[in-house]
Amino acid sequence: MRVVVLGAGVIGVTSAWYLAEAGHEVVLLDRQPGPALETSFANAGEISPGYASPWAAPGIPVKAMRWLFMEHAPLILRPRLDPAMIRWIAAMLGNCTEARYALNKSRMISLAEYSRDELVALRNRLNLQYDHGSRGTLQLFRSHKQIDASAGDIAVLQSYGVPYEVLDPDGCIGAEPGLAASRERFVGGLRLPGDETGDCHLFTNELARRLAGANVDIRYGTRIDAIDRVGDIIAGVRTDRGVVQGDAYLVATGSYTPALLAPAGIRVPVYPVKGYSITLPVANPELAPVSTLLDESYKIAITRLGNRIRVGGMAELSGFNAALPPAREASLRHSLNDLFPGAADRDASSNFWSGLRPMTPDSTPIVGSTPVSNLFLNTGHGTLGWTLACGSASLITHLISGKKPPVEPEGFNIARYLR
C-alpha cells in the first residue's frame, strides 16, 4: 500500500522505516526542516524497559501534592482554564488504582521489552551509531522509605523475568564509580542491567538518512493543515504544499494529534506534559556517570552520551508552553552536581531545552486502528517514546499490513477510550 506517515519524530521515522521494510510505499510529512526537532530532540537518553511504569499509580495524588511544594519539584502545575487539561487530569486520577496500575504496567513492559530487542536488532542490521551504551540503569534511593516503596516494582520485574539487582551504597558505587564523591547522599539502589542508553536525535537522523535510500518520499518543511474524512475513510491530507493521498494514513504527531483528529470526529486523550533537559560536556570522565542514573527524589535522569552528560526530567502541565524558566534548569543542575560533583563542565553552555511529551491518562501509548478504516495511530508515548519507538513501529506495521502482531495489541488500541 501507499502509506502516508504524519510526523518525523522518532515514532514517525521508525514507523516509516518498518513500513518501508515491509514493502509499502511510504510518504513521510513533517513541518520541521528535518527529523526529530521537537520532543525527540534532547530527551533524557534512557532506554529503560524495566522502568516502563505508568505515572498513574496508587499514592500518586498524595505524592503530587507534596511535590508541588518542593524546591526542586518534579511536578509543576500551571492552572489554566483548559477543558482538555481538566479532562486529562480527571482521567489520570481514575487510573490511580492498584488494578489499573498493574494492567497498564503489564502492557507497557511487554511492549518495552520487545521494543528494546527490536532496537538492538535494527542497530546491528544497519550499523547505526548514536552514542549508544548497554550498561543498564540505576535507580538511586536517597531514603529507606524509597527502598521500601520499590518492593512493588521489584515484584513486577520478577513476574516478567526482567533481570535486576538490589544494591547497597557500595554496590551503587560499583555500578557508577562517580557516585563515590556523593556517598552520603544515598542509601541504596535498584539496577536493571538490561537497559540501554543513546541519543534519540542522533538515532532518528541516522535512520532518516537510510529512509532516502529505501525510496521513502520524505517531505520536510511541509505543514499539515488537516485530514479530510469522507464517510468511513480518509481521502487525503491537506498541507501547505497541496493534498497528499494514500491508501492508509498513520498519525504520529505526538501532542498535536488531538487537534488534528478532532475535526474528523475522533477524540484522542493525549495531553502535552512538558519535560526539560540540559546537555553538558564531560569535564572529568572518572567523576561522570557511565550509563543512566535515575534520581528517585527528583524524578531526574542523568545519562552519559559519549563525551556529554544529558540531564532530563520533570513534568509540567502548562499546555503548549515552550518557555524555559531558569528555575527548571537550576533543578537539573542541582541533581547532577549533587550526585556527580565535578563531572561536567559547569562553564559550558547547558543547551537548556524543553519538549512536550504526548501523554495518555493511563500512560500507555495508542498504537493501532481507529473507527476510520484507513486511519491508524502511533502516538501518546509520553516519557517512553525513545524506549517504545521500535516496538511500536513494528506493531503498527504488522497491523497495517494485516499480519499477526508481535505483541498483544488490544491494550494499545484507541477503542479503550471509546467504550
PDB file of all heavy atoms in Angstrom, residues 10-11 14 43-48 115 119 130 132 196-201 203-204 305 381-390:
ATOM      1  N   VAL A  10      10.908  10.479  16.447  1.00  0.00           N
ATOM      2  CA  VAL A  10      11.409   9.105  16.496  1.00  0.00           C
ATOM      3  C   VAL A  10      10.296   8.099  16.206  1.00  0.00           C
ATOM      4  O   VAL A  10      10.536   7.059  15.580  1.00  0.00           O
ATOM      5  CB  VAL A  10      12.082   8.815  17.856  1.00  0.00           C
ATOM      6  CG1 VAL A  10      11.078   8.815  19.009  1.00  0.00           C
ATOM      7  CG2 VAL A  10      12.842   7.492  17.797  1.00  0.00           C
ATOM      8  N   ILE A  11       9.047   8.403  16.597  1.00  0.00           N
ATOM      9  CA  ILE A  11       7.945   7.485  16.346  1.00  0.00           C
ATOM     10  C   ILE A  11       7.613   7.435  14.856  1.00  0.00           C
ATOM     11  O   ILE A  11       7.451   6.349  14.269  1.00  0.00           O
ATOM     12  CB  ILE A  11       6.703   7.896  17.157  1.00  0.00           C
ATOM     13  CG1 ILE A  11       7.012   7.879  18.662  1.00  0.00           C
ATOM     14  CG2 ILE A  11       5.534   6.965  16.851  1.00  0.00           C
ATOM     15  CD1 ILE A  11       7.448   6.537  19.212  1.00  0.00           C
ATOM     16  N   THR A  14      10.743   5.807  12.770  1.00  0.00           N
ATOM     17  CA  THR A  14      10.840   4.352  12.916  1.00  0.00           C
ATOM     18  C   THR A  14       9.659   3.662  12.236  1.00  0.00           C
ATOM     19  O   THR A  14       9.828   2.618  11.599  1.00  0.00           O
ATOM     20  CB  THR A  14      10.908   3.932  14.389  1.00  0.00           C
ATOM     21  OG1 THR A  14       9.837   4.547  15.119  1.00  0.00           O
ATOM     22  CG2 THR A  14      12.226   4.322  15.020  1.00  0.00           C
ATOM     23  N   ASN A  43      15.799  14.378  24.643  1.00  0.00           N
ATOM     24  CA  ASN A  43      15.212  13.702  25.799  1.00  0.00           C
ATOM     25  C   ASN A  43      16.313  13.120  26.682  1.00  0.00           C
ATOM     26  O   ASN A  43      17.497  13.273  26.411  1.00  0.00           O
ATOM     27  CB  ASN A  43      14.198  12.642  25.361  1.00  0.00           C
ATOM     28  CG  ASN A  43      14.822  11.503  24.571  1.00  0.00           C
ATOM     29  OD1 ASN A  43      16.035  11.284  24.611  1.00  0.00           O
ATOM     30  ND2 ASN A  43      14.005  10.775  23.841  1.00  0.00           N
ATOM     31  N   ALA A  44      15.914  12.414  27.735  1.00  0.00           N
ATOM     32  CA  ALA A  44      16.876  12.001  28.754  1.00  0.00           C
ATOM     33  C   ALA A  44      17.878  10.959  28.271  1.00  0.00           C
ATOM     34  O   ALA A  44      18.907  10.744  28.916  1.00  0.00           O
ATOM     35  CB  ALA A  44      16.129  11.462  29.978  1.00  0.00           C
ATOM     36  N   GLY A  45      17.605  10.305  27.149  1.00  0.00           N
ATOM     37  CA  GLY A  45      18.573   9.379  26.580  1.00  0.00           C
ATOM     38  C   GLY A  45      18.511   7.969  27.108  1.00  0.00           C
ATOM     39  O   GLY A  45      19.345   7.133  26.748  1.00  0.00           O
ATOM     40  N   GLU A  46      17.543   7.665  27.944  1.00  0.00           N
ATOM     41  CA  GLU A  46      17.464   6.328  28.538  1.00  0.00           C
ATOM     42  C   GLU A  46      16.508   5.429  27.760  1.00  0.00           C
ATOM     43  O   GLU A  46      15.456   5.867  27.298  1.00  0.00           O
ATOM     44  CB  GLU A  46      17.016   6.412  29.995  1.00  0.00           C
ATOM     45  CG  GLU A  46      15.697   7.142  30.173  1.00  0.00           C
ATOM     46  CD  GLU A  46      15.241   7.195  31.614  1.00  0.00           C
ATOM     47  OE1 GLU A  46      15.248   6.142  32.285  1.00  0.00           O
ATOM     48  OE2 GLU A  46      14.864   8.291  32.068  1.00  0.00           O
ATOM     49  N   ILE A  47      16.891   4.167  27.632  1.00  0.00           N
ATOM     50  CA  ILE A  47      16.044   3.144  27.023  1.00  0.00           C
ATOM     51  C   ILE A  47      15.818   2.107  28.114  1.00  0.00           C
ATOM     52  O   ILE A  47      16.638   1.217  28.328  1.00  0.00           O
ATOM     53  CB  ILE A  47      16.720   2.537  25.783  1.00  0.00           C
ATOM     54  CG1 ILE A  47      17.038   3.643  24.764  1.00  0.00           C
ATOM     55  CG2 ILE A  47      15.839   1.471  25.147  1.00  0.00           C
ATOM     56  CD1 ILE A  47      18.085   3.253  23.761  1.00  0.00           C
ATOM     57  N   SER A  48      14.714   2.252  28.842  1.00  0.00           N
ATOM     58  CA  SER A  48      14.532   1.538  30.105  1.00  0.00           C
ATOM     59  C   SER A  48      13.231   0.745  30.141  1.00  0.00           C
ATOM     60  O   SER A  48      12.224   1.192  30.703  1.00  0.00           O
ATOM     61  CB  SER A  48      14.551   2.541  31.271  1.00  0.00           C
ATOM     62  OG  SER A  48      15.755   3.263  31.298  1.00  0.00           O
ATOM     63  N   SER A 115      10.439  -3.876  22.322  1.00  0.00           N
ATOM     64  CA  SER A 115      10.999  -2.731  21.615  1.00  0.00           C
ATOM     65  C   SER A 115      12.514  -2.668  21.774  1.00  0.00           C
ATOM     66  O   SER A 115      13.243  -2.379  20.817  1.00  0.00           O
ATOM     67  CB  SER A 115      10.368  -1.434  22.130  1.00  0.00           C
ATOM     68  OG  SER A 115      10.767  -0.332  21.361  1.00  0.00           O
ATOM     69  N   LEU A 119      15.214  -2.710  18.795  1.00  0.00           N
ATOM     70  CA  LEU A 119      16.221  -1.664  18.630  1.00  0.00           C
ATOM     71  C   LEU A 119      17.610  -2.274  18.443  1.00  0.00           C
ATOM     72  O   LEU A 119      18.372  -1.868  17.559  1.00  0.00           O
ATOM     73  CB  LEU A 119      16.211  -0.726  19.835  1.00  0.00           C
ATOM     74  CG  LEU A 119      17.339   0.317  19.894  1.00  0.00           C
ATOM     75  CD1 LEU A 119      17.283   1.264  18.705  1.00  0.00           C
ATOM     76  CD2 LEU A 119      17.271   1.093  21.205  1.00  0.00           C
ATOM     77  N   TYR A 130      24.822   6.093  17.475  1.00  0.00           N
ATOM     78  CA  TYR A 130      24.099   7.195  18.123  1.00  0.00           C
ATOM     79  C   TYR A 130      24.502   7.338  19.591  1.00  0.00           C
ATOM     80  O   TYR A 130      23.685   7.598  20.451  1.00  0.00           O
ATOM     81  CB  TYR A 130      22.579   6.982  17.998  1.00  0.00           C
ATOM     82  CG  TYR A 130      22.090   5.607  18.415  1.00  0.00           C
ATOM     83  CD1 TYR A 130      21.667   5.364  19.718  1.00  0.00           C
ATOM     84  CD2 TYR A 130      22.064   4.552  17.508  1.00  0.00           C
ATOM     85  CE1 TYR A 130      21.227   4.114  20.109  1.00  0.00           C
ATOM     86  CE2 TYR A 130      21.611   3.292  17.886  1.00  0.00           C
ATOM     87  CZ  TYR A 130      21.196   3.085  19.188  1.00  0.00           C
ATOM     88  OH  TYR A 130      20.759   1.831  19.584  1.00  0.00           O
ATOM     89  N   HIS A 132      25.360   5.091  21.681  1.00  0.00           N
ATOM     90  CA  HIS A 132      24.610   4.144  22.490  1.00  0.00           C
ATOM     91  C   HIS A 132      25.523   3.404  23.463  1.00  0.00           C
ATOM     92  O   HIS A 132      26.726   3.255  23.252  1.00  0.00           O
ATOM     93  CB  HIS A 132      23.861   3.143  21.601  1.00  0.00           C
ATOM     94  CG  HIS A 132      24.765   2.218  20.835  1.00  0.00           C
ATOM     95  ND1 HIS A 132      25.262   2.531  19.591  1.00  0.00           N
ATOM     96  CD2 HIS A 132      25.261   0.990  21.148  1.00  0.00           C
ATOM     97  CE1 HIS A 132      26.024   1.549  19.155  1.00  0.00           C
ATOM     98  NE2 HIS A 132      26.054   0.601  20.078  1.00  0.00           N
ATOM     99  N   GLU A 196      19.452   0.197  28.161  1.00  0.00           N
ATOM    100  CA  GLU A 196      20.428   0.832  27.278  1.00  0.00           C
ATOM    101  C   GLU A 196      20.315   2.348  27.360  1.00  0.00           C
ATOM    102  O   GLU A 196      19.405   2.893  27.995  1.00  0.00           O
ATOM    103  CB  GLU A 196      20.216   0.366  25.831  1.00  0.00           C
ATOM    104  CG  GLU A 196      20.414  -1.126  25.641  1.00  0.00           C
ATOM    105  CD  GLU A 196      20.772  -1.478  24.206  1.00  0.00           C
ATOM    106  OE1 GLU A 196      20.698  -0.603  23.316  1.00  0.00           O
ATOM    107  OE2 GLU A 196      21.151  -2.638  23.977  1.00  0.00           O
ATOM    108  N   THR A 197      21.259   3.005  26.706  1.00  0.00           N
ATOM    109  CA  THR A 197      21.243   4.455  26.594  1.00  0.00           C
ATOM    110  C   THR A 197      21.537   4.832  25.146  1.00  0.00           C
ATOM    111  O   THR A 197      22.062   4.024  24.372  1.00  0.00           O
ATOM    112  CB  THR A 197      22.309   5.105  27.497  1.00  0.00           C
ATOM    113  OG1 THR A 197      23.598   4.558  27.165  1.00  0.00           O
ATOM    114  CG2 THR A 197      22.022   4.846  28.957  1.00  0.00           C
ATOM    115  N   GLY A 198      21.212   6.059  24.793  1.00  0.00           N
ATOM    116  CA  GLY A 198      21.516   6.520  23.435  1.00  0.00           C
ATOM    117  C   GLY A 198      20.883   7.862  23.150  1.00  0.00           C
ATOM    118  O   GLY A 198      19.899   8.260  23.793  1.00  0.00           O
ATOM    119  N   ASP A 199      21.434   8.556  22.180  1.00  0.00           N
ATOM    120  CA  ASP A 199      20.936   9.872  21.771  1.00  0.00           C
ATOM    121  C   ASP A 199      19.824   9.678  20.744  1.00  0.00           C
ATOM    122  O   ASP A 199      20.069   9.279  19.606  1.00  0.00           O
ATOM    123  CB  ASP A 199      22.079  10.688  21.172  1.00  0.00           C
ATOM    124  CG  ASP A 199      21.691  12.131  20.905  1.00  0.00           C
ATOM    125  OD1 ASP A 199      20.594  12.362  20.367  1.00  0.00           O
ATOM    126  OD2 ASP A 199      22.492  13.030  21.222  1.00  0.00           O
ATOM    127  N   CYS A 200      18.608   9.967  21.162  1.00  0.00           N
ATOM    128  CA  CYS A 200      17.429   9.753  20.316  1.00  0.00           C
ATOM    129  C   CYS A 200      17.494  10.592  19.040  1.00  0.00           C
ATOM    130  O   CYS A 200      17.111  10.131  17.960  1.00  0.00           O
ATOM    131  CB  CYS A 200      16.174  10.086  21.114  1.00  0.00           C
ATOM    132  SG  CYS A 200      14.622   9.853  20.234  1.00  0.00           S
ATOM    133  N   HIS A 201      17.981  11.813  19.150  1.00  0.00           N
ATOM    134  CA  HIS A 201      18.076  12.689  17.986  1.00  0.00           C
ATOM    135  C   HIS A 201      19.061  12.137  16.961  1.00  0.00           C
ATOM    136  O   HIS A 201      18.765  12.095  15.752  1.00  0.00           O
ATOM    137  CB  HIS A 201      18.500  14.094  18.430  1.00  0.00           C
ATOM    138  CG  HIS A 201      18.676  15.064  17.315  1.00  0.00           C
ATOM    139  ND1 HIS A 201      19.921  15.496  16.903  1.00  0.00           N
ATOM    140  CD2 HIS A 201      17.781  15.675  16.504  1.00  0.00           C
ATOM    141  CE1 HIS A 201      19.781  16.332  15.892  1.00  0.00           C
ATOM    142  NE2 HIS A 201      18.492  16.472  15.631  1.00  0.00           N
ATOM    143  N   PHE A 203      19.997   8.980  16.645  1.00  0.00           N
ATOM    144  CA  PHE A 203      19.408   7.758  16.107  1.00  0.00           C
ATOM    145  C   PHE A 203      18.394   8.069  15.018  1.00  0.00           C
ATOM    146  O   PHE A 203      18.413   7.470  13.933  1.00  0.00           O
ATOM    147  CB  PHE A 203      18.731   6.961  17.231  1.00  0.00           C
ATOM    148  CG  PHE A 203      17.857   5.839  16.743  1.00  0.00           C
ATOM    149  CD1 PHE A 203      18.392   4.591  16.470  1.00  0.00           C
ATOM    150  CD2 PHE A 203      16.487   6.033  16.565  1.00  0.00           C
ATOM    151  CE1 PHE A 203      17.590   3.554  16.016  1.00  0.00           C
ATOM    152  CE2 PHE A 203      15.682   5.003  16.108  1.00  0.00           C
ATOM    153  CZ  PHE A 203      16.230   3.763  15.835  1.00  0.00           C
ATOM    154  N   THR A 204      17.491   8.999  15.295  1.00  0.00           N
ATOM    155  CA  THR A 204      16.425   9.315  14.344  1.00  0.00           C
ATOM    156  C   THR A 204      16.999   9.887  13.060  1.00  0.00           C
ATOM    157  O   THR A 204      16.533   9.564  11.956  1.00  0.00           O
ATOM    158  CB  THR A 204      15.417  10.292  14.977  1.00  0.00           C
ATOM    159  OG1 THR A 204      14.987   9.789  16.245  1.00  0.00           O
ATOM    160  CG2 THR A 204      14.205  10.468  14.087  1.00  0.00           C
ATOM    161  N   LEU A 305      26.221  10.223  27.407  1.00  0.00           N
ATOM    162  CA  LEU A 305      26.113  10.068  25.956  1.00  0.00           C
ATOM    163  C   LEU A 305      27.455  10.426  25.335  1.00  0.00           C
ATOM    164  O   LEU A 305      27.713  11.580  25.004  1.00  0.00           O
ATOM    165  CB  LEU A 305      25.006  10.968  25.393  1.00  0.00           C
ATOM    166  CG  LEU A 305      23.576  10.705  25.872  1.00  0.00           C
ATOM    167  CD1 LEU A 305      22.631  11.782  25.362  1.00  0.00           C
ATOM    168  CD2 LEU A 305      23.099   9.329  25.433  1.00  0.00           C
ATOM    169  N   HIS A 381       3.066   8.296  23.636  1.00  0.00           N
ATOM    170  CA  HIS A 381       4.086   7.505  24.322  1.00  0.00           C
ATOM    171  C   HIS A 381       4.647   8.182  25.563  1.00  0.00           C
ATOM    172  O   HIS A 381       5.416   7.569  26.308  1.00  0.00           O
ATOM    173  CB  HIS A 381       5.232   7.183  23.353  1.00  0.00           C
ATOM    174  CG  HIS A 381       4.829   6.321  22.204  1.00  0.00           C
ATOM    175  ND1 HIS A 381       4.116   6.813  21.128  1.00  0.00           N
ATOM    176  CD2 HIS A 381       5.011   5.010  21.957  1.00  0.00           C
ATOM    177  CE1 HIS A 381       3.896   5.828  20.265  1.00  0.00           C
ATOM    178  NE2 HIS A 381       4.428   4.734  20.740  1.00  0.00           N
ATOM    179  N   GLY A 382       4.300   9.437  25.786  1.00  0.00           N
ATOM    180  CA  GLY A 382       4.743  10.118  26.993  1.00  0.00           C
ATOM    181  C   GLY A 382       6.247  10.187  27.124  1.00  0.00           C
ATOM    182  O   GLY A 382       6.957  10.549  26.196  1.00  0.00           O
ATOM    183  N   THR A 383       6.756   9.784  28.294  1.00  0.00           N
ATOM    184  CA  THR A 383       8.193   9.815  28.549  1.00  0.00           C
ATOM    185  C   THR A 383       8.919   8.624  27.932  1.00  0.00           C
ATOM    186  O   THR A 383      10.145   8.533  28.029  1.00  0.00           O
ATOM    187  CB  THR A 383       8.467   9.810  30.063  1.00  0.00           C
ATOM    188  OG1 THR A 383       7.889   8.634  30.641  1.00  0.00           O
ATOM    189  CG2 THR A 383       7.867  11.029  30.731  1.00  0.00           C
ATOM    190  N   LEU A 384       8.183   7.718  27.294  1.00  0.00           N
ATOM    191  CA  LEU A 384       8.783   6.464  26.824  1.00  0.00           C
ATOM    192  C   LEU A 384       8.851   6.352  25.308  1.00  0.00           C
ATOM    193  O   LEU A 384       8.975   5.250  24.772  1.00  0.00           O
ATOM    194  CB  LEU A 384       7.997   5.276  27.391  1.00  0.00           C
ATOM    195  CG  LEU A 384       8.039   5.126  28.908  1.00  0.00           C
ATOM    196  CD1 LEU A 384       7.060   4.056  29.375  1.00  0.00           C
ATOM    197  CD2 LEU A 384       9.442   4.789  29.387  1.00  0.00           C
ATOM    198  N   GLY A 385       8.783   7.483  24.607  1.00  0.00           N
ATOM    199  CA  GLY A 385       8.835   7.404  23.152  1.00  0.00           C
ATOM    200  C   GLY A 385      10.102   6.747  22.641  1.00  0.00           C
ATOM    201  O   GLY A 385      10.073   5.926  21.721  1.00  0.00           O
ATOM    202  N   TRP A 386      11.239   7.088  23.232  1.00  0.00           N
ATOM    203  CA  TRP A 386      12.518   6.527  22.828  1.00  0.00           C
ATOM    204  C   TRP A 386      12.575   5.037  23.174  1.00  0.00           C
ATOM    205  O   TRP A 386      13.024   4.201  22.394  1.00  0.00           O
ATOM    206  CB  TRP A 386      13.613   7.303  23.508  1.00  0.00           C
ATOM    207  CG  TRP A 386      15.066   7.020  23.207  1.00  0.00           C
ATOM    208  CD1 TRP A 386      16.098   7.344  24.035  1.00  0.00           C
ATOM    209  CD2 TRP A 386      15.681   6.455  22.051  1.00  0.00           C
ATOM    210  NE1 TRP A 386      17.307   7.004  23.468  1.00  0.00           N
ATOM    211  CE2 TRP A 386      17.071   6.443  22.242  1.00  0.00           C
ATOM    212  CE3 TRP A 386      15.180   5.930  20.856  1.00  0.00           C
ATOM    213  CZ2 TRP A 386      17.978   5.949  21.304  1.00  0.00           C
ATOM    214  CZ3 TRP A 386      16.078   5.426  19.915  1.00  0.00           C
ATOM    215  CH2 TRP A 386      17.456   5.438  20.144  1.00  0.00           C
ATOM    216  N   THR A 387      12.082   4.683  24.350  1.00  0.00           N
ATOM    217  CA  THR A 387      12.082   3.281  24.774  1.00  0.00           C
ATOM    218  C   THR A 387      11.158   2.424  23.912  1.00  0.00           C
ATOM    219  O   THR A 387      11.485   1.280  23.580  1.00  0.00           O
ATOM    220  CB  THR A 387      11.656   3.177  26.253  1.00  0.00           C
ATOM    221  OG1 THR A 387      12.634   3.815  27.079  1.00  0.00           O
ATOM    222  CG2 THR A 387      11.509   1.733  26.699  1.00  0.00           C
ATOM    223  N   LEU A 388      10.020   2.962  23.531  1.00  0.00           N
ATOM    224  CA  LEU A 388       8.986   2.168  22.852  1.00  0.00           C
ATOM    225  C   LEU A 388       8.982   2.315  21.333  1.00  0.00           C
ATOM    226  O   LEU A 388       8.185   1.654  20.655  1.00  0.00           O
ATOM    227  CB  LEU A 388       7.607   2.570  23.384  1.00  0.00           C
ATOM    228  CG  LEU A 388       7.345   2.360  24.870  1.00  0.00           C
ATOM    229  CD1 LEU A 388       5.970   2.903  25.256  1.00  0.00           C
ATOM    230  CD2 LEU A 388       7.441   0.889  25.247  1.00  0.00           C
ATOM    231  N   ALA A 389       9.869   3.138  20.779  1.00  0.00           N
ATOM    232  CA  ALA A 389       9.763   3.512  19.366  1.00  0.00           C
ATOM    233  C   ALA A 389       9.807   2.321  18.420  1.00  0.00           C
ATOM    234  O   ALA A 389       8.915   2.150  17.574  1.00  0.00           O
ATOM    235  CB  ALA A 389      10.870   4.505  19.008  1.00  0.00           C
ATOM    236  N   CYS A 390      10.821   1.502  18.509  1.00  0.00           N
ATOM    237  CA  CYS A 390      10.964   0.403  17.542  1.00  0.00           C
ATOM    238  C   CYS A 390       9.869  -0.645  17.718  1.00  0.00           C
ATOM    239  O   CYS A 390       9.349  -1.178  16.732  1.00  0.00           O
ATOM    240  CB  CYS A 390      12.344  -0.237  17.683  1.00  0.00           C
ATOM    241  SG  CYS A 390      13.684   0.807  17.085  1.00  0.00           S
TER     242      CYS A 390
END
